[in-house]
Amino acid sequence: MKMFEYMGKELFAKYGLPVPKGRMAKTPEEAAQIAAEIGGPCVVKSQVLSGKRGKAGGIKFPNTPEEAKKAAEEVLSMTIQGLPVECVLVEEKLKIDKELYMSITIDGSAKQAVMIASAYGGMDIEEQPEEYIIKKHIDPELGMHPFFARDVVRRMGIPLNGPHGKEIVKIVQTLYKICKEKDAELVEINPLVFSGDRVIAADSKVTIDEDAMFRMVDLPFVEDKSPAERAAKDLGLSFVELDGDIAVMANGAGITMGTLDTLQAFGGTPRNFLDCGGGTGREATAKALDILLNLQPKGLFINIFGGITRCDDVANAFKDVYEARGGFPVPVVIRLVGTNQDAGREILRSIGVEAFDFMQDAARRIIELVR
Amino acid sequence: MAIIIDENTNVLVMGITGRQASFHTKQMLAYGTKIVAGCTPGKGGQEVEGIPVYNTVREACEKHRIDASVIFVPAAGTKDAALENLEAGIKVVVIVTEGVPVYDEIDIVAYAKRKGAYVLGPNTFGIVSGGKCKMGIPPNQYFVEGDVGVVARSGTLTYEIVGNLTANGLGQSTVVGMGGDRAVGLTFVDVLKMFEKDDQTKAVVMIGEIGGNNEEIAAEYIKEMTKPVVAFIAGKSAPPGKRMGHAGAIIERGKGTYQGKVEALTAAGAKVAPLPFEVPALIKEALGRK
């Protein structure tokens, strides 16, 4: 789950990390009010989940409350990479002496969290050569300690006994504390800036592990799913909209991708990715079928290889939707094998549907039918 | 021989009294798995399918020799359950549960390393040594004894490919599910090394998917292997930047692409099947069988 910059900065502030003076505004009037409180040159930043805000004109630098109002008016009417701007962050304009980079994320290959830092941060961090990027894994059994942070500071080439060095040692440790306490799979500050003697987080990017939502009660998030994707997520399913014409349901991420690959190899185009695996029951499966039919595809392809998913649950869900709708509006092909296969096929036969044994045969059939 | 588990493996089922666990306990017993104990805190003294249930893993270990455990508890309790089994000295822990927070996974995997234990998962279908022992949730009828080793991240896709192998007269030595999550216990290289040493295994099927760099790392080891490897990589048709279901399946910053993985594997001498049902023919070709 992602956060807007201002949400991330509010989280940083709670942990004592230095952030610029300012706050979020939803109207030009609020923006002017905040600018007046700051009492000097400001920055008005669009709050969208996109990394290209500056280049899109979504960041402005007003000098007075009046200018801030105008800047906010403009930015609040913008759409950046397809995302409408619904709020802005108004904060003090920083004198920037130097831009650095700092983040902690998960390295799946190493099975550890990893600290990534660079003395050369800012917009072009991805183009920096490897030798300017410091990567240091965090041993989960050892945890975070001051010596770890001191080594990061040394490798960034920043004097440890200066005001900046001491502050960064604190920031490194705090970032890991946030990761662990808030189950953050990414905490990023880019840029972290030197402004006189101060070190300030001029931006924030925070992503919380979706699987840890059950123990996160007090955090705000941004909805970044389409309504259909959200409906599927609420059923515990994984769904992604694509732009083809055959709606697809399969059970398991791998086989769902394999199903899309097979359809595409045979000349079909998938309308979506829908993984209804993991023992999804009859009712949720029926609702998932409704989500797919509501996409108004040209055909529906169901590919189930039951393990923890039971074929009779899927067949019953299929029958429920069939009966509730008085049949299906588009051609449907179902391949159904695995756990409780015979019971599932018997249920399908009762409504005149014969299941396929093999994915490749079923995939060819649905493509023929939608042509 | 088979790898990791065989007909002599004594198994404990963690969370055995739950709906999924009791259903799959029955299925595992039907496959021939030697389940000797179950554990659900607070349900000690009961029986599930004739298997005694204990309150703690330590108590089960006092009454039985336990070689491996399979965990079916909800995500919020998985870290505690996994650590309990590892702390009790069990050397193979299979974690079926999906949706485990990634920092919990990191802690489980780190502790297993310290204890010298194998962790399969989280989010794995489990492991089957053909005809000998099944731990986890795959449908029984497709897994038969033979000489093909299979290693995979993703469950149902594995059933698909194993089903095709079996339909083509190719049984399996062991089918290993590493788990679909970001931080899991084993890597492709760990499992490929075991297959390379295993007498029963004559060829290996590796089932990967887009995202991450585990397939590329595996390709480096495949160069040294004497046994043939056939791979399938899921996600050729996936658009970049979209997370397709589980953590493995996301391409970021041009890394972990289908093309990159296929090139690395092909250069290492592995054969890559473009579609799942094309795997058996490539295995037969590699083994010189018709």
PDB file of all heavy atoms in Angstrom, chain A residues 109 111 141 179 184-185 209 215 238 251 253-254 261 264 278 305-306 335 341, chain B residues 98 102-104 114 142 154 156 160 182 184-185 213 235-237 245-246:
ATOM      1  N   SER A 109      16.442 -11.822  -3.148  1.00  0.00           N
ATOM      2  CA  SER A 109      17.503 -12.808  -3.378  1.00  0.00           C
ATOM      3  C   SER A 109      18.324 -13.035  -2.119  1.00  0.00           C
ATOM      4  O   SER A 109      18.716 -14.150  -1.808  1.00  0.00           O
ATOM      5  CB  SER A 109      18.435 -12.346  -4.499  1.00  0.00           C
ATOM      6  OG  SER A 109      17.704 -12.188  -5.680  1.00  0.00           O
ATOM      7  N   LYS A 111      17.225 -12.324   0.878  1.00  0.00           N
ATOM      8  CA  LYS A 111      16.291 -12.601   1.977  1.00  0.00           C
ATOM      9  C   LYS A 111      16.567 -11.696   3.171  1.00  0.00           C
ATOM     10  O   LYS A 111      16.536 -12.118   4.325  1.00  0.00           O
ATOM     11  CB  LYS A 111      16.358 -14.082   2.379  1.00  0.00           C
ATOM     12  CG  LYS A 111      16.039 -14.996   1.228  1.00  0.00           C
ATOM     13  CD  LYS A 111      16.658 -16.345   1.394  1.00  0.00           C
ATOM     14  CE  LYS A 111      16.510 -17.115   0.095  1.00  0.00           C
ATOM     15  NZ  LYS A 111      17.014 -18.466   0.175  1.00  0.00           N
ATOM     16  N   GLU A 141      19.007 -10.915  12.316  1.00  0.00           N
ATOM     17  CA  GLU A 141      19.264 -11.361  13.690  1.00  0.00           C
ATOM     18  C   GLU A 141      20.093 -10.345  14.474  1.00  0.00           C
ATOM     19  O   GLU A 141      19.977 -10.230  15.680  1.00  0.00           O
ATOM     20  CB  GLU A 141      19.962 -12.717  13.684  1.00  0.00           C
ATOM     21  CG  GLU A 141      19.037 -13.792  13.126  1.00  0.00           C
ATOM     22  CD  GLU A 141      19.535 -15.176  13.459  1.00  0.00           C
ATOM     23  OE1 GLU A 141      20.391 -15.704  12.732  1.00  0.00           O
ATOM     24  OE2 GLU A 141      19.036 -15.740  14.452  1.00  0.00           O
ATOM     25  N   CYS A 179      10.739   0.848   9.113  1.00  0.00           N
ATOM     26  CA  CYS A 179      10.513  -0.368   8.310  1.00  0.00           C
ATOM     27  C   CYS A 179       9.971  -1.491   9.175  1.00  0.00           C
ATOM     28  O   CYS A 179       8.993  -2.146   8.836  1.00  0.00           O
ATOM     29  CB  CYS A 179      11.808  -0.825   7.655  1.00  0.00           C
ATOM     30  SG  CYS A 179      12.238   0.156   6.222  1.00  0.00           S
ATOM     31  N   ALA A 184       7.224  -1.640   6.488  1.00  0.00           N
ATOM     32  CA  ALA A 184       7.433  -0.937   5.216  1.00  0.00           C
ATOM     33  C   ALA A 184       8.352  -1.755   4.322  1.00  0.00           C
ATOM     34  O   ALA A 184       9.432  -2.152   4.735  1.00  0.00           O
ATOM     35  CB  ALA A 184       8.040   0.436   5.477  1.00  0.00           C
ATOM     36  N   GLU A 185       7.905  -2.029   3.096  1.00  0.00           N
ATOM     37  CA  GLU A 185       8.792  -2.736   2.170  1.00  0.00           C
ATOM     38  C   GLU A 185       9.646  -1.751   1.383  1.00  0.00           C
ATOM     39  O   GLU A 185      10.605  -2.137   0.735  1.00  0.00           O
ATOM     40  CB  GLU A 185       8.013  -3.682   1.258  1.00  0.00           C
ATOM     41  CG  GLU A 185       6.891  -3.029   0.506  1.00  0.00           C
ATOM     42  CD  GLU A 185       6.057  -4.032  -0.285  1.00  0.00           C
ATOM     43  OE1 GLU A 185       5.769  -5.116   0.219  1.00  0.00           O
ATOM     44  OE2 GLU A 185       5.700  -3.697  -1.418  1.00  0.00           O
ATOM     45  N   ASP A 209       3.838  -3.125   3.362  1.00  0.00           N
ATOM     46  CA  ASP A 209       3.558  -4.508   2.959  1.00  0.00           C
ATOM     47  C   ASP A 209       2.057  -4.798   3.079  1.00  0.00           C
ATOM     48  O   ASP A 209       1.505  -4.752   4.172  1.00  0.00           O
ATOM     49  CB  ASP A 209       4.361  -5.434   3.890  1.00  0.00           C
ATOM     50  CG  ASP A 209       4.212  -6.901   3.544  1.00  0.00           C
ATOM     51  OD1 ASP A 209       3.486  -7.230   2.589  1.00  0.00           O
ATOM     52  OD2 ASP A 209       4.843  -7.716   4.250  1.00  0.00           O
ATOM     53  N   ARG A 215      -2.009  -5.884  10.919  1.00  0.00           N
ATOM     54  CA  ARG A 215      -1.469  -5.326  12.172  1.00  0.00           C
ATOM     55  C   ARG A 215      -1.141  -3.836  12.052  1.00  0.00           C
ATOM     56  O   ARG A 215      -0.494  -3.268  12.924  1.00  0.00           O
ATOM     57  CB  ARG A 215      -0.265  -6.129  12.654  1.00  0.00           C
ATOM     58  CG  ARG A 215       0.877  -6.233  11.661  1.00  0.00           C
ATOM     59  CD  ARG A 215       1.896  -7.260  12.173  1.00  0.00           C
ATOM     60  NE  ARG A 215       3.044  -7.360  11.295  1.00  0.00           N
ATOM     61  CZ  ARG A 215       3.866  -8.410  11.277  1.00  0.00           C
ATOM     62  NH1 ARG A 215       3.666  -9.415  12.093  1.00  0.00           N
ATOM     63  NH2 ARG A 215       4.895  -8.443  10.474  1.00  0.00           N
ATOM     64  N   SER A 238      -6.388 -11.748  -6.501  1.00  0.00           N
ATOM     65  CA  SER A 238      -5.432 -10.881  -7.151  1.00  0.00           C
ATOM     66  C   SER A 238      -5.880 -10.678  -8.596  1.00  0.00           C
ATOM     67  O   SER A 238      -6.085 -11.642  -9.333  1.00  0.00           O
ATOM     68  CB  SER A 238      -4.073 -11.563  -7.075  1.00  0.00           C
ATOM     69  OG  SER A 238      -3.177 -10.897  -7.879  1.00  0.00           O
ATOM     70  N   ASN A 251      -6.391 -20.461 -11.132  1.00  0.00           N
ATOM     71  CA  ASN A 251      -6.102 -20.516  -9.695  1.00  0.00           C
ATOM     72  C   ASN A 251      -4.602 -20.678  -9.445  1.00  0.00           C
ATOM     73  O   ASN A 251      -4.049 -21.744  -9.638  1.00  0.00           O
ATOM     74  CB  ASN A 251      -6.894 -21.647  -9.029  1.00  0.00           C
ATOM     75  CG  ASN A 251      -6.520 -23.018  -9.565  1.00  0.00           C
ATOM     76  OD1 ASN A 251      -6.341 -23.191 -10.754  1.00  0.00           O
ATOM     77  ND2 ASN A 251      -6.386 -23.980  -8.681  1.00  0.00           N
ATOM     78  N   ALA A 253      -0.950 -17.792  -9.206  1.00  0.00           N
ATOM     79  CA  ALA A 253      -0.340 -16.728 -10.006  1.00  0.00           C
ATOM     80  C   ALA A 253       0.411 -17.296 -11.200  1.00  0.00           C
ATOM     81  O   ALA A 253       0.312 -16.792 -12.319  1.00  0.00           O
ATOM     82  CB  ALA A 253       0.605 -15.900  -9.142  1.00  0.00           C
ATOM     83  N   GLY A 254       1.137 -18.375 -10.988  1.00  0.00           N
ATOM     84  CA  GLY A 254       1.958 -18.950 -12.054  1.00  0.00           C
ATOM     85  C   GLY A 254       1.107 -19.486 -13.191  1.00  0.00           C
ATOM     86  O   GLY A 254       1.356 -19.198 -14.360  1.00  0.00           O
ATOM     87  N   ASP A 261      -0.092 -16.491 -21.212  1.00  0.00           N
ATOM     88  CA  ASP A 261       0.974 -16.747 -22.200  1.00  0.00           C
ATOM     89  C   ASP A 261       0.452 -17.659 -23.310  1.00  0.00           C
ATOM     90  O   ASP A 261       0.725 -17.441 -24.493  1.00  0.00           O
ATOM     91  CB  ASP A 261       2.187 -17.410 -21.535  1.00  0.00           C
ATOM     92  CG  ASP A 261       2.872 -16.511 -20.516  1.00  0.00           C
ATOM     93  OD1 ASP A 261       2.586 -15.301 -20.506  1.00  0.00           O
ATOM     94  OD2 ASP A 261       3.684 -17.027 -19.725  1.00  0.00           O
ATOM     95  N   GLN A 264      -2.079 -15.914 -25.580  1.00  0.00           N
ATOM     96  CA  GLN A 264      -1.409 -14.980 -26.473  1.00  0.00           C
ATOM     97  C   GLN A 264      -0.635 -15.715 -27.575  1.00  0.00           C
ATOM     98  O   GLN A 264      -0.665 -15.309 -28.732  1.00  0.00           O
ATOM     99  CB  GLN A 264      -0.473 -14.083 -25.676  1.00  0.00           C
ATOM    100  CG  GLN A 264      -0.147 -12.808 -26.409  1.00  0.00           C
ATOM    101  CD  GLN A 264       0.494 -11.789 -25.488  1.00  0.00           C
ATOM    102  OE1 GLN A 264       1.624 -11.957 -25.037  1.00  0.00           O
ATOM    103  NE2 GLN A 264      -0.228 -10.732 -25.173  1.00  0.00           N
ATOM    104  N   GLY A 278      -5.622 -20.343  -3.781  1.00  0.00           N
ATOM    105  CA  GLY A 278      -5.527 -20.268  -2.322  1.00  0.00           C
ATOM    106  C   GLY A 278      -6.782 -20.687  -1.594  1.00  0.00           C
ATOM    107  O   GLY A 278      -7.080 -20.190  -0.515  1.00  0.00           O
ATOM    108  N   PHE A 305      -6.803 -25.917 -12.014  1.00  0.00           N
ATOM    109  CA  PHE A 305      -6.114 -27.161 -11.667  1.00  0.00           C
ATOM    110  C   PHE A 305      -6.151 -27.221 -10.149  1.00  0.00           C
ATOM    111  O   PHE A 305      -5.346 -26.583  -9.472  1.00  0.00           O
ATOM    112  CB  PHE A 305      -4.682 -27.158 -12.202  1.00  0.00           C
ATOM    113  CG  PHE A 305      -4.131 -28.544 -12.420  1.00  0.00           C
ATOM    114  CD1 PHE A 305      -3.535 -28.876 -13.621  1.00  0.00           C
ATOM    115  CD2 PHE A 305      -4.218 -29.511 -11.433  1.00  0.00           C
ATOM    116  CE1 PHE A 305      -3.030 -30.153 -13.841  1.00  0.00           C
ATOM    117  CE2 PHE A 305      -3.723 -30.781 -11.639  1.00  0.00           C
ATOM    118  CZ  PHE A 305      -3.124 -31.108 -12.856  1.00  0.00           C
ATOM    119  N   GLY A 306      -7.107 -27.940  -9.611  1.00  0.00           N
ATOM    120  CA  GLY A 306      -7.382 -27.892  -8.182  1.00  0.00           C
ATOM    121  C   GLY A 306      -6.323 -28.560  -7.328  1.00  0.00           C
ATOM    122  O   GLY A 306      -5.936 -29.695  -7.567  1.00  0.00           O
ATOM    123  N   ARG A 335     -11.884 -25.405 -18.168  1.00  0.00           N
ATOM    124  CA  ARG A 335     -11.008 -26.561 -18.018  1.00  0.00           C
ATOM    125  C   ARG A 335     -10.936 -26.832 -16.517  1.00  0.00           C
ATOM    126  O   ARG A 335     -10.651 -25.908 -15.746  1.00  0.00           O
ATOM    127  CB  ARG A 335      -9.638 -26.196 -18.586  1.00  0.00           C
ATOM    128  CG  ARG A 335      -8.622 -27.319 -18.583  1.00  0.00           C
ATOM    129  CD  ARG A 335      -7.829 -27.378 -17.314  1.00  0.00           C
ATOM    130  NE  ARG A 335      -6.791 -28.371 -17.418  1.00  0.00           N
ATOM    131  CZ  ARG A 335      -5.521 -28.153 -17.153  1.00  0.00           C
ATOM    132  NH1 ARG A 335      -5.139 -26.964 -16.725  1.00  0.00           N
ATOM    133  NH2 ARG A 335      -4.654 -29.108 -17.279  1.00  0.00           N
ATOM    134  N   GLN A 341     -12.387 -33.392  -8.720  1.00  0.00           N
ATOM    135  CA  GLN A 341     -12.662 -33.183 -10.148  1.00  0.00           C
ATOM    136  C   GLN A 341     -13.989 -33.840 -10.589  1.00  0.00           C
ATOM    137  O   GLN A 341     -14.784 -33.218 -11.301  1.00  0.00           O
ATOM    138  CB  GLN A 341     -11.475 -33.780 -10.922  1.00  0.00           C
ATOM    139  CG  GLN A 341     -11.692 -34.018 -12.379  1.00  0.00           C
ATOM    140  CD  GLN A 341     -10.434 -34.622 -13.013  1.00  0.00           C
ATOM    141  OE1 GLN A 341      -9.302 -34.360 -12.570  1.00  0.00           O
ATOM    142  NE2 GLN A 341     -10.602 -35.420 -14.031  1.00  0.00           N
TER     143      GLN A 341
ATOM    144  N   GLU B  98      -0.207 -18.497   2.887  1.00  0.00           N
ATOM    145  CA  GLU B  98       0.149 -17.338   2.068  1.00  0.00           C
ATOM    146  C   GLU B  98      -0.233 -16.049   2.788  1.00  0.00           C
ATOM    147  O   GLU B  98      -0.994 -16.069   3.740  1.00  0.00           O
ATOM    148  CB  GLU B  98      -0.472 -17.414   0.675  1.00  0.00           C
ATOM    149  CG  GLU B  98      -1.956 -17.563   0.611  1.00  0.00           C
ATOM    150  CD  GLU B  98      -2.443 -17.638  -0.844  1.00  0.00           C
ATOM    151  OE1 GLU B  98      -2.046 -16.798  -1.657  1.00  0.00           O
ATOM    152  OE2 GLU B  98      -3.241 -18.547  -1.148  1.00  0.00           O
ATOM    153  N   VAL B 102       6.439  -9.769   5.022  1.00  0.00           N
ATOM    154  CA  VAL B 102       7.780 -10.071   4.523  1.00  0.00           C
ATOM    155  C   VAL B 102       8.839 -10.019   5.630  1.00  0.00           C
ATOM    156  O   VAL B 102       9.778 -10.815   5.629  1.00  0.00           O
ATOM    157  CB  VAL B 102       8.142  -9.167   3.320  1.00  0.00           C
ATOM    158  CG1 VAL B 102       8.328  -7.717   3.741  1.00  0.00           C
ATOM    159  CG2 VAL B 102       9.377  -9.687   2.601  1.00  0.00           C
ATOM    160  N   TYR B 103       8.673  -9.124   6.610  1.00  0.00           N
ATOM    161  CA  TYR B 103       9.670  -9.091   7.696  1.00  0.00           C
ATOM    162  C   TYR B 103       9.578 -10.342   8.580  1.00  0.00           C
ATOM    163  O   TYR B 103      10.576 -10.780   9.156  1.00  0.00           O
ATOM    164  CB  TYR B 103       9.551  -7.809   8.534  1.00  0.00           C
ATOM    165  CG  TYR B 103      10.166  -6.627   7.826  1.00  0.00           C
ATOM    166  CD1 TYR B 103       9.391  -5.717   7.131  1.00  0.00           C
ATOM    167  CD2 TYR B 103      11.551  -6.451   7.808  1.00  0.00           C
ATOM    168  CE1 TYR B 103       9.962  -4.654   6.447  1.00  0.00           C
ATOM    169  CE2 TYR B 103      12.134  -5.396   7.134  1.00  0.00           C
ATOM    170  CZ  TYR B 103      11.335  -4.495   6.453  1.00  0.00           C
ATOM    171  OH  TYR B 103      11.920  -3.462   5.777  1.00  0.00           O
ATOM    172  N   ASP B 104       8.392 -10.952   8.675  1.00  0.00           N
ATOM    173  CA  ASP B 104       8.257 -12.225   9.380  1.00  0.00           C
ATOM    174  C   ASP B 104       8.995 -13.318   8.606  1.00  0.00           C
ATOM    175  O   ASP B 104       9.660 -14.174   9.188  1.00  0.00           O
ATOM    176  CB  ASP B 104       6.780 -12.614   9.525  1.00  0.00           C
ATOM    177  CG  ASP B 104       6.027 -11.732  10.519  1.00  0.00           C
ATOM    178  OD1 ASP B 104       6.641 -10.787  11.057  1.00  0.00           O
ATOM    179  OD2 ASP B 104       4.832 -11.982  10.746  1.00  0.00           O
ATOM    180  N   ARG B 114      20.390 -20.475  10.797  1.00  0.00           N
ATOM    181  CA  ARG B 114      21.170 -20.694  12.012  1.00  0.00           C
ATOM    182  C   ARG B 114      21.009 -22.125  12.528  1.00  0.00           C
ATOM    183  O   ARG B 114      21.954 -22.729  13.047  1.00  0.00           O
ATOM    184  CB  ARG B 114      20.736 -19.690  13.089  1.00  0.00           C
ATOM    185  CG  ARG B 114      21.433 -19.882  14.420  1.00  0.00           C
ATOM    186  CD  ARG B 114      21.857 -18.577  15.050  1.00  0.00           C
ATOM    187  NE  ARG B 114      20.755 -17.745  15.493  1.00  0.00           N
ATOM    188  CZ  ARG B 114      20.260 -17.773  16.738  1.00  0.00           C
ATOM    189  NH1 ARG B 114      20.749 -18.608  17.635  1.00  0.00           N
ATOM    190  NH2 ARG B 114      19.281 -16.964  17.074  1.00  0.00           N
ATOM    191  N   TYR B 142      -1.677 -36.935  -9.734  1.00  0.00           N
ATOM    192  CA  TYR B 142      -0.749 -36.563 -10.807  1.00  0.00           C
ATOM    193  C   TYR B 142       0.709 -36.824 -10.461  1.00  0.00           C
ATOM    194  O   TYR B 142       1.578 -36.713 -11.309  1.00  0.00           O
ATOM    195  CB  TYR B 142      -0.931 -35.079 -11.167  1.00  0.00           C
ATOM    196  CG  TYR B 142      -2.331 -34.802 -11.632  1.00  0.00           C
ATOM    197  CD1 TYR B 142      -3.280 -34.310 -10.749  1.00  0.00           C
ATOM    198  CD2 TYR B 142      -2.718 -35.081 -12.937  1.00  0.00           C
ATOM    199  CE1 TYR B 142      -4.582 -34.092 -11.154  1.00  0.00           C
ATOM    200  CE2 TYR B 142      -4.018 -34.872 -13.353  1.00  0.00           C
ATOM    201  CZ  TYR B 142      -4.949 -34.370 -12.456  1.00  0.00           C
ATOM    202  OH  TYR B 142      -6.238 -34.172 -12.868  1.00  0.00           O
ATOM    203  N   SER B 154       5.864 -21.652  -8.216  1.00  0.00           N
ATOM    204  CA  SER B 154       4.426 -21.482  -8.253  1.00  0.00           C
ATOM    205  C   SER B 154       3.706 -22.824  -8.250  1.00  0.00           C
ATOM    206  O   SER B 154       4.117 -23.754  -8.939  1.00  0.00           O
ATOM    207  CB  SER B 154       4.088 -20.708  -9.520  1.00  0.00           C
ATOM    208  OG  SER B 154       2.703 -20.631  -9.684  1.00  0.00           O
ATOM    209  N   THR B 156       0.120 -24.111  -8.814  1.00  0.00           N
ATOM    210  CA  THR B 156      -0.779 -24.693  -9.799  1.00  0.00           C
ATOM    211  C   THR B 156      -0.079 -24.924 -11.132  1.00  0.00           C
ATOM    212  O   THR B 156      -0.337 -25.894 -11.821  1.00  0.00           O
ATOM    213  CB  THR B 156      -2.004 -23.790  -9.983  1.00  0.00           C
ATOM    214  OG1 THR B 156      -2.394 -23.319  -8.708  1.00  0.00           O
ATOM    215  CG2 THR B 156      -3.137 -24.551 -10.590  1.00  0.00           C
ATOM    216  N   GLU B 160       0.179 -28.363 -13.312  1.00  0.00           N
ATOM    217  CA  GLU B 160      -0.043 -28.381 -14.757  1.00  0.00           C
ATOM    218  C   GLU B 160       1.097 -29.139 -15.456  1.00  0.00           C
ATOM    219  O   GLU B 160       0.865 -30.032 -16.263  1.00  0.00           O
ATOM    220  CB  GLU B 160      -0.108 -26.925 -15.252  1.00  0.00           C
ATOM    221  CG  GLU B 160      -0.231 -26.746 -16.748  1.00  0.00           C
ATOM    222  CD  GLU B 160      -1.626 -27.076 -17.250  1.00  0.00           C
ATOM    223  OE1 GLU B 160      -2.590 -26.726 -16.564  1.00  0.00           O
ATOM    224  OE2 GLU B 160      -1.742 -27.696 -18.316  1.00  0.00           O
ATOM    225  N   ARG B 182       8.494 -13.211  -1.547  1.00  0.00           N
ATOM    226  CA  ARG B 182       9.773 -12.526  -1.758  1.00  0.00           C
ATOM    227  C   ARG B 182      10.918 -13.178  -1.007  1.00  0.00           C
ATOM    228  O   ARG B 182      11.997 -13.357  -1.522  1.00  0.00           O
ATOM    229  CB  ARG B 182       9.665 -11.065  -1.317  1.00  0.00           C
ATOM    230  CG  ARG B 182       9.055 -10.195  -2.369  1.00  0.00           C
ATOM    231  CD  ARG B 182       8.518  -8.944  -1.749  1.00  0.00           C
ATOM    232  NE  ARG B 182       7.405  -9.248  -0.864  1.00  0.00           N
ATOM    233  CZ  ARG B 182       6.653  -8.344  -0.282  1.00  0.00           C
ATOM    234  NH1 ARG B 182       6.904  -7.081  -0.449  1.00  0.00           N
ATOM    235  NH2 ARG B 182       5.645  -8.692   0.473  1.00  0.00           N
ATOM    236  N   VAL B 184      11.882 -16.484   0.686  1.00  0.00           N
ATOM    237  CA  VAL B 184      11.604 -17.897   0.956  1.00  0.00           C
ATOM    238  C   VAL B 184      12.910 -18.604   1.291  1.00  0.00           C
ATOM    239  O   VAL B 184      13.996 -18.076   1.052  1.00  0.00           O
ATOM    240  CB  VAL B 184      10.903 -18.578  -0.239  1.00  0.00           C
ATOM    241  CG1 VAL B 184       9.534 -17.963  -0.485  1.00  0.00           C
ATOM    242  CG2 VAL B 184      11.754 -18.504  -1.496  1.00  0.00           C
ATOM    243  N   GLY B 185      12.782 -19.829   1.839  1.00  0.00           N
ATOM    244  CA  GLY B 185      13.945 -20.499   2.409  1.00  0.00           C
ATOM    245  C   GLY B 185      14.972 -21.013   1.417  1.00  0.00           C
ATOM    246  O   GLY B 185      16.172 -20.948   1.661  1.00  0.00           O
ATOM    247  N   ASN B 213      15.868 -12.162  -9.812  1.00  0.00           N
ATOM    248  CA  ASN B 213      16.983 -12.633 -10.622  1.00  0.00           C
ATOM    249  C   ASN B 213      17.393 -14.056 -10.262  1.00  0.00           C
ATOM    250  O   ASN B 213      18.495 -14.495 -10.547  1.00  0.00           O
ATOM    251  CB  ASN B 213      18.178 -11.681 -10.501  1.00  0.00           C
ATOM    252  CG  ASN B 213      18.702 -11.622  -9.074  1.00  0.00           C
ATOM    253  OD1 ASN B 213      18.043 -12.076  -8.140  1.00  0.00           O
ATOM    254  ND2 ASN B 213      19.886 -11.076  -8.905  1.00  0.00           N
ATOM    255  N   GLY B 235       4.949 -15.755 -17.666  1.00  0.00           N
ATOM    256  CA  GLY B 235       4.837 -14.298 -17.651  1.00  0.00           C
ATOM    257  C   GLY B 235       5.328 -13.606 -18.906  1.00  0.00           C
ATOM    258  O   GLY B 235       5.504 -12.390 -18.919  1.00  0.00           O
ATOM    259  N   LYS B 236       5.518 -14.387 -19.994  1.00  0.00           N
ATOM    260  CA  LYS B 236       5.964 -13.790 -21.253  1.00  0.00           C
ATOM    261  C   LYS B 236       5.037 -12.659 -21.684  1.00  0.00           C
ATOM    262  O   LYS B 236       5.463 -11.644 -22.219  1.00  0.00           O
ATOM    263  CB  LYS B 236       5.987 -14.890 -22.324  1.00  0.00           C
ATOM    264  CG  LYS B 236       6.553 -14.463 -23.648  1.00  0.00           C
ATOM    265  CD  LYS B 236       6.489 -15.624 -24.647  1.00  0.00           C
ATOM    266  CE  LYS B 236       7.158 -15.231 -25.954  1.00  0.00           C
ATOM    267  NZ  LYS B 236       7.101 -16.335 -26.924  1.00  0.00           N
ATOM    268  N   SER B 237       3.731 -12.837 -21.434  1.00  0.00           N
ATOM    269  CA  SER B 237       2.752 -11.863 -21.936  1.00  0.00           C
ATOM    270  C   SER B 237       2.456 -10.740 -20.941  1.00  0.00           C
ATOM    271  O   SER B 237       1.637  -9.879 -21.211  1.00  0.00           O
ATOM    272  CB  SER B 237       1.447 -12.594 -22.277  1.00  0.00           C
ATOM    273  OG  SER B 237       0.912 -13.200 -21.111  1.00  0.00           O
ATOM    274  N   GLY B 245      -0.098 -11.098  -9.193  1.00  0.00           N
ATOM    275  CA  GLY B 245      -0.464 -12.092  -8.187  1.00  0.00           C
ATOM    276  C   GLY B 245       0.510 -12.253  -7.059  1.00  0.00           C
ATOM    277  O   GLY B 245       0.226 -11.856  -5.967  1.00  0.00           O
ATOM    278  N   HIS B 246       1.672 -12.794  -7.279  1.00  0.00           N
ATOM    279  CA  HIS B 246       2.587 -12.817  -6.144  1.00  0.00           C
ATOM    280  C   HIS B 246       3.907 -12.140  -6.455  1.00  0.00           C
ATOM    281  O   HIS B 246       4.190 -11.726  -7.565  1.00  0.00           O
ATOM    282  CB  HIS B 246       2.736 -14.172  -5.487  1.00  0.00           C
ATOM    283  CG  HIS B 246       3.113 -15.316  -6.386  1.00  0.00           C
ATOM    284  ND1 HIS B 246       4.279 -15.345  -7.064  1.00  0.00           N
ATOM    285  CD2 HIS B 246       2.455 -16.452  -6.656  1.00  0.00           C
ATOM    286  CE1 HIS B 246       4.334 -16.496  -7.719  1.00  0.00           C
ATOM    287  NE2 HIS B 246       3.235 -17.178  -7.504  1.00  0.00           N
TER     288      HIS B 246
END
